[in-house]
Amino acid sequence: MGRVVVEVMPKPEILDPQGKAVNGALPRLGFTGISQVRQGKRFEITVDGPVTDEVLADVRRAAETLLSNPVIEDVVKVEADNTDAAVDATSTTQIPA
Amino acid sequence: MGRVVVEVMPKPEILDPQGKAVNGALPRLGFTGISQVRQGKRFEITVDGPVTDEVLADVRRAAETLLSNPVIEDVVKVEADNTDAAVDATSTTQIPA
């Protein structure tokens, strides 16, 4: 099994009320020097089998139709996830010697 | 100005109804071969000035207190964003020759 990461952000010209709320809360909690916060979504998609180019193309299509609203959001990343957690999930069981 | 990307995901043992809903919708739209979807959050944080280690530590503290709920979520990434968009925002104005 492989894993694909999809990242979706609101388009720059779109108002982002969640990001604005976070930005407003930061100074009240003592965090200064931050001028803007934008909030988007991150998906971890586990696929049956390895992450081939075909799988990535399929996931990109899903990202652009189901995972994002193309009117107000951009898909900023569709990428195979090769971090330890993803590798762990794909590793075969080791039989102790 | 620099930019920091923060990524937050639900902990593996926590039920993720948004991810489950996406996973349920995929086969209906003709996408097969996907066994699990988990949905988290991605923040783009614009800071005044360059992204120093101190700024990153500050943003990590904010990520662990305001941007995520440590009971149910993990901060999976706090990283300076060096993509073109971020670089564009920091580039100085060029005076044409």
Side-chain angles (χ1 to χ4, degrees), chain B residues 4-28:
Chain B
V4 182
V5 169
V6 172
E7 294 176 356
V8 172
M9 293 301 292
K11 285 182 192 282
E13 66 271 24
I14 298 288
L15 189 70
D16 170 17
Q18 286 180 303
K20 272 214 179 310
V22 170
N23 201 13
L26 284 166
R28 291 201 300 274

Side-chain angles (χ1 to χ4, degrees), chain A residues 1-92:
Chain A
M1 286 200 301
R3 195 159 70 173
V4 182
V5 170
V6 173
E7 292 176 358
V8 173
M9 293 300 294
K11 282 183 192 289
E13 66 272 25
I14 297 289
L15 189 71
D16 171 18
Q18 286 181 302
K20 272 213 177 309
V22 170
N23 202 11
L26 284 165
R28 291 201 300 274
L29 292 170
F31 299 105
T32 54
I34 289 171
S35 57
Q36 198 194 22
V37 178
R38 298 204 45 97
Q39 180 173 344
K41 295 181 285 187
R42 180 178 191 273
F43 298 91
E44 288 180 359
I45 297 172
T46 307
V47 296
D48 311 332
V51 180
T52 59
D53 285 352
E54 202 188 327
V55 166
L56 274 179
D58 241 34
V59 170
R60 175 167 284 282
R61 229 160 25 89
E64 283 163 0
T65 51
L66 177 67
L67 305 181
S68 70
N69 176 347
V71 177
I72 58 167
E73 292 171 323
D74 287 324
V75 176
V76 295
K77 184 160 118 180
V78 177
E79 209 174 80
D81 183 3
N82 300 312
T83 59
D84 289 350
V87 173
D88 280 353
T90 62
S91 66
T92 52

